Amino acid sequence: MKKFITAMLLMAIAIIPMAARDRVTTNVNELPATAQATLNKYFAKTKVNHIKIDKKTFGGAEYDVVLENGTEIEFDSNGNWKEIDCGYNKVPDGLILKSITDYVKANFKNQHIVSIEVSHNKYELELSSGLDVEFDRSGRFLRIDH
């Protein structure tokens, strides 16, 4: 009986990762509605190159969208953006809290936000100069990350 349980456990360990395979598509309709709305509103002029759908083992998915201009957007399973990297291009202001865009305009002249990542407690930005800046979830400046 002990060998049977061990064999079943080993099979389960081998099978679970197989269920969580990535898939690549170009079909925007496979994204959650919120992610589709974000793309339509802020990136309508740029076509989608590909979408990587990362199915999670215990449900849900993450979506990595790469646009033809190189912009990369990561969405959670609900379609909310988690990270936006526009390369050298400006992240659309409408995707960023107004207090953050106002702070950047006032304190970092002639620079713009080229990437932004949101976590549970902060926003991490990269400016066009390469400077990394952090804000709390309310949009209050925290620090320059060296």
Side-chain angles (χ1 to χ4, degrees):
M1 184 68 171
K2 202 176 200 181
K3 288 182 181 181
F4 176 75
I5 292 173
T6 303
M8 294 305 290
L9 183 62
L10 289 173
M11 277 183 31
I13 290 171
I15 291 173
I16 287 174
M18 294 162 111
R21 299 245 181 225
D22 294 345
R23 193 166 58 80
V24 177
T25 183
T26 58
N27 186 356
V28 177
N29 294 323
E30 293 192 44
L31 293 170
T34 305
Q36 290 180 44
T38 299
L39 292 176
N40 288 332
K41 184 171 182 178
Y42 298 104
F43 300 98
K45 294 180 181 177
T46 307
K47 292 182 180 180
V48 170
N49 181 292
H50 68 275
I51 302 166
K52 184 177 101 177
I53 302 171
D54 182 12
K55 297 267 185 190
K56 299 299 177 188
T57 303
F58 299 106
E62 289 185 348
Y63 305 87
D64 294 321
V65 177
V66 178
L67 305 179
E68 286 187 344
N69 68 356
T71 295
E72 297 179 21
I73 310 162
E74 184 178 331
F75 294 100
D76 66 16
S77 59
N78 296 319
N80 301 308
W81 66 265
K82 294 172 42 177
E83 185 174 354
I84 302 169
D85 185 348
C86 292
Y88 297 107
N89 298 316
K90 182 179 179 186
V91 173
D93 286 342
L95 291 168
I96 305 167
L97 293 175
K98 185 173 178 351
S99 58
I100 293 176
T101 57
D102 289 347
Y103 188 92
V104 169
K105 286 176 187 173
N107 294 284
F108 301 100
K109 302 276 189 224
N110 301 318
Q111 295 185 53
H112 57 271
I113 300 166
V114 296
S115 73
I116 183 167
E117 180 178 356
V118 62
S119 63
H120 68 283
N121 63 349
K122 66 183 173 181
Y123 290 97
E124 297 178 43
L125 317 175
E126 181 179 347
L127 303 180
S128 52
S129 66
L131 194 64
D132 294 324
V133 185
E134 293 182 5
F135 292 82
D136 69 14
R137 287 296 297 257
S138 299
R140 288 186 295 263
F141 174 78
L142 293 175
R143 66 188 182 111
I144 294 174
D145 191 18
H146 297 285

